[in-house]
Amino acid sequence: MDWFKYIITPILIFSGGYLYLRLAGKKAVIQMNSFDLLVVLVLGTVLAQPLSSKQTFETLYFGLAFVVLYVLFSFLTLNNKLRWLLVATSTVLIRDGDIDEKGLRKVRMTVAELMSELRIKGFANSKDIEIAVMESAGQISVIPKATTRPVQSRDLQLNPSPTFIPIPLIMDGQVIDHNLKFLQKDQNWLRNELARYSLDSGDYSSVTLATYNQEGTVDVDTNNPNDRLQTPQNYKPGNSN
């Protein structure tokens, strides 16, 4: 009967555990698919067994068996015909400003919880929402109506510059040499840029973050609180002012 213990048992536990998590609903597995959470829970339990028993070999075997099943399961979900059977599908909660009560019941969410999620995303009125969907990982995605979404540059027929991601050059006082090399800049250029902030190479340790911006210059944030003006805009709650 060893074949049943070492082959059938992990399959049964994996399948049963996955079924339980699917029954628990998407709210129970936010940020993870059901089988992702299952493997984390099972491996945590399985790998803790050697602490309370001497069955180290069996513990390692069952842990490996679950990892193999997880990898196999992940590959199966890549097949579009099988994915809808194995992974929870998205559920519509709001469409064209109208709350879908059937969808709420399906995911076991109250209207109060839905409104809380909308407020977190910056919307106070469900009538402003074109569609709100609970995704397979339990997250709620919200798309506002065209009349309530933020104005886009194309609405004003503008052609803004391409999005630029600032490139870190110094982080926590340490120069990021490979980014300097990528920009085809050197230490002398960086020192000249820091000089605009009355900083020299000996002050690198005081630089929290220095980034290369779209204008080709460097923005600097230091750990010196005195470089922030004492204005009402810089108020900090508590007695730390």
Side-chain angles (χ1 to χ4, degrees), residues 223-236:
N223 58 18
N224 182 6
N226 295 325
D227 61 5
R228 300 181 181 90
L229 297 177
Q230 295 299 311
T231 63
Q233 289 76 16
N234 291 327
Y235 168 74
K236 293 179 291 186

Side-chain angles (χ1 to χ4, degrees), residues 197-228:
Y197 295 87
S198 299
L199 298 171
D200 57 34
S201 58
D203 297 321
Y204 282 179
S205 60
S206 67
V207 177
T208 303
L209 178 66
T211 55
Y212 182 83
N213 59 37
Q214 193 167 11
E215 288 72 38
T217 59
V218 175
D219 296 322
V220 176
D221 185 296
T222 70
N223 58 18
N224 182 6
N226 295 325
D227 61 5
R228 300 181 181 90

Side-chain angles (χ1 to χ4, degrees), residues 92-97 129-133 141-145:
V92 175
L93 305 179
I94 299 176
R95 188 184 295 278
D96 193 23
I129 307 305
E130 182 66 37
I131 188 170
V133 178
S141 56
V142 177
I143 298 177
K145 291 183 177 180

Side-chain angles (χ1 to χ4, degrees), residues 123-138:
F123 300 99
N125 193 339
S126 61
K127 297 298 183 183
D128 295 335
I129 307 305
E130 182 66 37
I131 188 170
V133 178
M134 179 173 280
E135 306 293 353
S136 60

